[in-house]
Amino acid sequence: MFRSSQRGEKSSKFSSSGSTRRSTKGSSQGSAGGPSQADDKAVAQSSVGQVEQEQSSIPSGLSFVFRIDPLEPDFSVQVRLGYPRLGFWQPPTVSRAYTRTTGEFYRWKDGRIAPATDINLTTPLYSFRTATVFSQETDTSHLLAVEYDATTEDVAGNLKGEWQPLNFQQKRDYSYINCHGDMTLLPFPGSATWMPQLVPYCYNCRDTDRAAAGLVGKLPLLISLVAFSCSPDPRYMDHVLKNHVLPREWRPHNYPSGRVPDRGMIVSTFYDPASEFYFTEQHLLSLEDGEYGPMFAP
């Protein structure tokens, strides 16, 4: 329903023109004795910067709508479970073992977030992605997630995946966050700008010779990192969403961390029905993949 040729053609003329992306896999030639570690690091930093500069810009007007629903586990329905592989607790695995609170709608547009006052629960919306995410404090700083609504689908035996710590991939020259990546740590060191406020230290890359890189990934997971950065108090979260997410930038704040025991949330993202221009699924996938640059630069 979002892929009709007429609407697809309408959106395509607003997409950014592609630019040549430079590969950083090749190594620079050094002296006869070979490049030093310092030379390698300088080359890596230069290459990452060049690639980021050559990314397409975000198409003007690109937007999506999202909602963050606070979630509490109901241990009277299902007792607290352990997570054998990592040794900490996991959220319930049956969909009825939660208490869910409906959150407010927000709109991400051109890199900034504002309340979507024109959207309510009766507004016809088409889903893009959903994720359920839980803090693991105080056992560990890891976050557990599934890429669906755990209140409408049982997690136990779900073919889409069961509770999983956040994973990562390298996409272009960015750290890409999802639930099914091939890396348990960031492929590049985290930036002091957004680590540990957005991404806990437990996920940091161990290779200190690599340059810090920007963060991209599945939109619901990125939004959950923003929400977990501050206290669950809706007033704090509203302020953070509106004032600390900037185009390709994270502005650190002084609120207490929101990664507290038993805190969970469902983050639902939707196509924006009020968008001035029609954007296809591919535009949002490109946003996730870093084709328009990082969501949060280093």
Side-chain angles (χ1 to χ4, degrees):
M1 66 183 66
F2 280 92
R3 298 181 183 177
S4 66
S5 59
Q6 180 178 3
R7 289 186 170 182
E9 291 169 1
K10 182 177 180 182
S11 65
S12 64
K13 68 178 181 179
F14 294 105
S15 61
S16 304
S17 58
S19 58
T20 303
R21 288 186 287 273
R22 184 174 301 172
S23 171
T24 60
K25 293 182 179 179
S27 60
S28 299
Q29 297 295 322
S31 60
S36 67
Q37 288 186 346
D39 291 336
D40 289 342
K41 191 169 185 177
V43 169
Q45 291 173 331
S46 174
S47 298
V48 170
Q50 288 171 344
V51 170
E52 288 187 356
Q53 290 177 2
E54 293 175 0
Q55 299 297 328
S56 301
S57 60
I58 299 175
S60 178
L62 179 60
S63 62
F64 63 88
V65 171
F66 67 90
R67 196 180 76 222
I68 303 170
D69 292 352
L71 201 60
E72 295 182 11
D74 185 347
F75 295 121
S76 69
V77 176
Q78 184 180 28
V79 298
R80 183 186 293 269
L81 302 172
Y83 193 81
R85 187 159 65 88
L86 294 178
F88 46 84
W89 80 280
Q90 67 172 319
T93 58
V94 294
S95 59
R96 58 190 177 85
Y98 294 101
T99 300
R100 178 177 184 170
T101 303
T102 302
E104 301 295 329
F105 285 100
Y106 288 87
R107 174 177 286 110
W108 182 98
K109 183 176 181 180
D110 296 332
R112 293 181 179 273
I113 293 174
T117 55
D118 56 319
I119 305 292
N120 57 51
L121 293 175
T122 66
T123 305
L125 292 173
Y126 296 97
S127 176
F128 175 62
R129 289 194 197 280
T130 299
T132 309
V133 190
F134 266 87
S135 166
Q136 285 294 296
E137 296 288 357
T138 58
D139 292 346
T140 174
S141 295
H142 290 82
L143 297 168
L144 288 188
V146 292
E147 293 185 26
Y148 51 87
D149 183 343
T151 67
T152 61
E153 300 182 46
D154 287 345
V155 173
N158 198 306
L159 296 179
K160 298 176 185 176
E162 300 188 6
W163 290 116
Q164 174 75 28
L166 299 183
N167 284 173
F168 305 91
Q169 295 171 262
Q170 178 175 338
K171 287 207 174 184
R172 297 179 170 81
D173 284 277
Y174 303 124
S175 294
Y176 179 94
I177 181 174
N178 66 5
C179 287
H180 306 289
D182 54 7
M183 307 175 74
T184 58
L185 301 176
L186 293 167
F188 299 96
S191 164
T193 302
W194 44 258
M195 177 174 274
Q197 196 158 74
L198 286 183
V199 181
Y201 282 130
C202 63
Y203 290 116
N204 204 10
C205 175
R206 302 292 190 259
D207 187 351
T208 57
D209 288 332
R210 305 200 81 179
L215 190 66
V216 298
K218 300 289 181 67
L219 295 178
L221 297 179
L222 290 171
I223 293 168
S224 76
L225 295 180
V226 174
F228 275 116
S229 78
C230 69
S231 164
D233 188 316
R235 296 169 300 174
Y236 295 159
M237 192 164 65
D238 179 75
H239 185 270
V240 167
L241 289 169
K242 293 188 296 186
N243 296 281
H244 293 270
V245 176
L246 306 176
R248 297 186 179 177
E249 181 184 348
W250 171 251
R251 177 185 292 167
H253 59 74
N254 295 319
Y255 292 121
S257 172
R259 294 192 291 270
V260 296
D262 297 346
R263 185 186 179 192
M265 62 186 67
I266 297 172
V267 181
S268 307
T269 59
F270 308 91
Y271 295 90
D272 186 357
S275 178
E276 182 178 355
F277 304 119
Y278 189 89
F279 290 99
T280 66
E281 178 183 39
Q282 187 56 50
H283 287 91
L284 296 185
L285 293 175
S286 295
L287 179 65
E288 291 185 325
D289 288 350
E291 186 172 326
Y292 306 138
M295 183 68 75
F296 299 114

